[in-house]
Amino acid sequence: MKFFIDTANIDQIKEAQDLGILDGVTTNPTLMAKEGITGEENIKNHYIKICEIVDGDVSAEVISTDFEGMVREGEALAKLHDQIVVKIPMIKEGIKAIKYFSEKGIRTNCTLVFSVGQALLAAKAGATYVSPFIGRLDDISTDGLNLIEEIRLIYDNYMFETQILAASIRHTMHIIDCAKIGADVMTGPLSSIEGLLKHPLTDSGLEKFLADYNKNN
């Protein structure tokens, strides 16, 4: 399972990279705005800065919702760096754009996916990644993890190469559960990743080891 961090915060990206387990980064306009990154050139430069920190894929989202606009923006984003994956919304024009980019050899991440049918269309169009937002489904009392399971089944049935990128991860158990059911990638906040490090028996065990050492040395 690949680990992506979902942020535009450079310090958090560096911290995740220093752990040695980071495979990529996902961003969106909301995350950029949260970091005060505004203006087309500043946003593009920020994407480049992120690519220089990590070794893996960096999803960069288009703003346009029409085919021509998505193609124009996507091609410009793809030219910024080899690691850029163009993030396209799951809408009719977005599927057309994903197909276009697929034929051009430009990698894509189909975002805002909330149903199996949407994931099937994205795979048919040739998306590199499909991003089901499991946390947002949980928020409306719908089982987000079940969506991952259903997409996994269909993709395996037809040997689609599209990778399932579990998005809107809210906590550490989301990561564990997604790993159990076969998500290819997870993307979430640094806190959810660091949560995997924690266990009270590890803390108490280490405390005892150090205390015993200090008694005799």
Side-chain angles (χ1 to χ4, degrees):
M1 183 189 224
K2 295 179 184 176
F3 276 43
F4 288 5
I5 186 172
D6 191 37
T7 186
N9 183 285
I10 293 297
D11 290 338
Q12 290 183 7
I13 294 169
K14 286 180 177 178
E15 192 169 347
Q17 177 69 13
D18 287 345
L19 274 175
I21 51 81
L22 189 63
D23 298 297
V25 175
T26 56
T27 61
N28 59 48
T30 299
L31 293 173
M32 284 288 188
K34 185 178 179 181
E35 300 303 319
I37 310 299
T38 59
E40 186 176 343
E41 286 306 309
N42 288 334
I43 290 173
K44 287 181 178 178
N45 289 334
H46 201 71
Y47 283 134
I48 293 171
K49 188 181 296 185
I50 292 172
C51 289
E52 291 172 346
I53 296 170
V54 302
D55 298 322
D57 293 342
V58 176
S59 286
E61 189 162 346
V62 301
I63 303 301
S64 297
T65 56
D66 62 290
F67 173 77
E68 291 78 11
M70 284 187 274
V71 166
R72 182 174 61 253
E73 286 185 48
E75 289 181 333
L77 288 170
K79 288 178 181 177
L80 292 177
H81 201 283
D82 290 342
Q83 291 166 230
I84 292 289
V85 176
V86 181
K87 205 171 183 182
I88 303 289
M90 167 39 75
I91 56 177
K92 186 176 181 179
E93 296 297 289
I95 290 297
K96 294 178 185 178
I98 289 170
K99 181 63 174 177
Y100 171 87
F101 288 130
S102 177
E103 292 175 347
K104 295 289 184 180
I106 294 174
R107 295 175 302 147
T108 55
N109 176 357
C110 185
T111 190
L112 291 171
V113 169
F114 294 96
S115 74
V116 177
Q118 290 176 329
L120 179 57
L121 286 175
K124 286 283 290 180
T128 310
Y129 298 100
V130 61
S131 291
F133 278 42
I134 63 173
R136 293 194 192 185
L137 285 170
D138 288 353
D139 290 343
I140 60 167
S141 301
T142 302
D143 190 348
L145 291 169
N146 184 63
L147 176 59
I148 301 289
E149 288 182 313
E150 291 182 340
I151 296 171
R152 179 79 280 158
L153 174 62
I154 289 174
Y155 281 14
D156 289 348
N157 280 348
Y158 299 99
M159 294 181 288
F160 285 122
E161 295 182 2
T162 300
Q163 296 181 55
I164 302 171
L165 195 165
S168 189
I169 293 285
R170 296 289 170 80
H171 47 72
T172 300
M173 281 310 300
H174 266 162
I175 300 176
I176 298 296
D177 289 335
C178 284
K180 288 179 180 178
I181 58 182
D184 299 293
V185 191
M186 63 71 55
T187 188
L190 180 62
S191 60
S192 66
I193 297 173
E194 290 184 331
L196 294 168
L197 293 165
K198 299 174 183 177
H199 196 285
L201 291 179
T202 301
D203 296 338
S204 61
L206 181 58
E207 184 179 355
K208 184 173 185 347
F209 291 158
L210 293 176
D212 289 344
Y213 174 83
N214 289 329
K215 285 178 187 176
N216 300 293
N217 292 281

